[in-house]
Amino acid sequence: MGYAHGAWESYRAFLAQSPVVGTGVTVLLVVSLTITWAHFEQMLNRNPSEPPLVKYYVPFIGSMIEFGINPIEFIRKHQRVHGNFFTFLMFGRRMTVCADIDGNDFVFNAKHSSVTAEDAYNSLTKPAFGEGVVYDVPNAVLMEQKRMVKAGLSIENFRKYIPVIVQEVNQYLDKHWTQSTGTVDLFQSISEMIILTASHTLLGPEIRSKMHEGVADLYHTLDSCFTPIHFLFEWLPLPSYYA
């Protein structure tokens, strides 16, 4: 104890004599301790039965910066090294990548006890929709909601939707694109047409009669609420949480 105290006093005296060099040494010590901590953390948590872990140098932060700069390149890079299944640390969360055909087969054909959509999407949708909605419900309720939607997405119904879609598009063009010259915001127009055709085909003419093009702007606002930061922090005082 006395030796440690003496070493600390010597270091303080060194900082007082040479603050610039002392600050550099302090930064170097912090960086070295951080990298050492991350190394031992990965050694202690290594599990041969789990996907390989992408090496990181900063505890808790992990690979978040590299992943955030270019997610696609990050996944491709480590897929070449580790294969179709690997895990990386991102702000304290272990994120497992399942890529290629093998990864798709695992995700889409996995049992609910192994992979759950609720766990994957709850933190993304809950801040936007609130509690007890969509993925923030028991799996049985979620499956019931999916069955209600699935009934309208059959091949037979798709064939019936074709004339309805044609009708909606023609009505939209007659209303908004009557001039032979000029420019049009194609993204905005297609977004509006999708809202009108989807409401008519999937929800019925009664709901369609209450819809208007402005609903596309509301959907755009809602879509903007789904941001990756929700995965890391479930509640923050940001506009995307309270749209």
Side-chain angles (χ1 to χ4, degrees):
M1 186 70 177
Y3 175 78
H5 178 74
W8 173 245
E9 290 299 327
S10 299
Y11 184 65
R12 289 180 61 183
F14 172 73
L15 288 179
Q17 293 177 0
S18 181
V20 175
V21 176
T23 302
V25 172
T26 301
V27 171
L28 183 61
L29 284 173
V30 171
V31 172
S32 299
L33 289 173
T34 299
I35 295 175
T36 303
W37 179 13
H39 175 73
F40 279 106
E41 184 179 61
Q42 292 169 81
M43 292 287 291
L44 293 174
N45 294 331
R46 181 179 297 173
N47 188 339
S49 64
E50 295 180 351
L53 181 66
V54 173
K55 189 175 182 179
Y56 59 90
Y57 300 97
V58 182
F60 192 71
I61 300 296
S63 304
M64 187 180 73
I65 297 176
E66 182 184 1
F67 176 79
I69 293 174
N70 193 329
I72 301 300
E73 180 56 32
F74 174 87
I75 292 174
R76 289 174 176 170
K77 170 186 173 182
H78 292 288
Q79 184 184 14
R80 290 192 293 268
V81 176
H82 302 294
N84 292 333
F85 301 92
F86 60 89
T87 300
F88 66 95
L89 183 70
M90 184 172 68
F91 226 78
R93 292 195 177 192
R94 294 168 67 92
M95 315 293 289
T96 298
V97 175
C98 303
D100 216 321
I101 297 176
D102 294 336
N104 288 337
D105 182 67
F106 172 77
V107 172
F108 293 114
N109 294 319
K111 295 181 180 179
H112 180 259
S113 57
S114 302
V115 178
T116 66
E118 299 93 299
D119 291 341
Y121 294 114
N122 183 279
S123 58
L124 183 66
T125 60
K126 187 176 178 180
F129 292 128
E131 298 180 356
V133 182
V134 194
Y135 291 102
D136 192 48
V137 295
N139 183 257
V141 178
L142 179 62
M143 292 298 102
E144 181 179 354
Q145 295 174 353
K146 284 187 174 182
R147 282 193 293 270
M148 294 172 60
V149 176
K150 186 178 179 180
L153 299 177
S154 65
I155 295 178
E156 180 181 355
N157 281 331
F158 278 140
R159 293 192 179 101
K160 296 178 181 179
Y161 296 157
I162 293 176
V164 177
I165 294 174
V166 172
Q167 174 191 344
E168 286 289 348
V169 171
N170 287 334
Q171 288 179 351
Y172 184 91
L173 295 177
D174 291 340
K175 180 178 179 181
H176 297 280
W177 291 9
T178 55
Q179 298 180 354
S180 57
T181 60
T183 59
V184 174
D185 187 336
L186 194 59
F187 178 82
Q188 178 70 22
S189 296
I190 291 179
S191 298
E192 293 174 352
M193 281 190 282
I194 289 175
I195 292 298
L196 299 178
T197 56
S199 61
H200 195 159
T201 55
L202 299 177
L203 302 177
E206 296 83 4
I207 300 298
R208 165 63 183 91
S209 64
K210 301 181 183 300
M211 303 290 281
H212 53 84
E213 291 87 347
V215 176
D217 295 328
L218 299 178
Y219 267 86
H220 178 72
T221 301
L222 182 63
D223 184 63
S224 300
C225 295
F226 301 113
T227 61
I229 197 172
H230 292 178
F231 279 112
L232 304 178
F233 307 100
E234 189 167 314
W235 297 109
L236 282 178
L238 299 176
S240 63
Y241 287 74
Y242 303 103

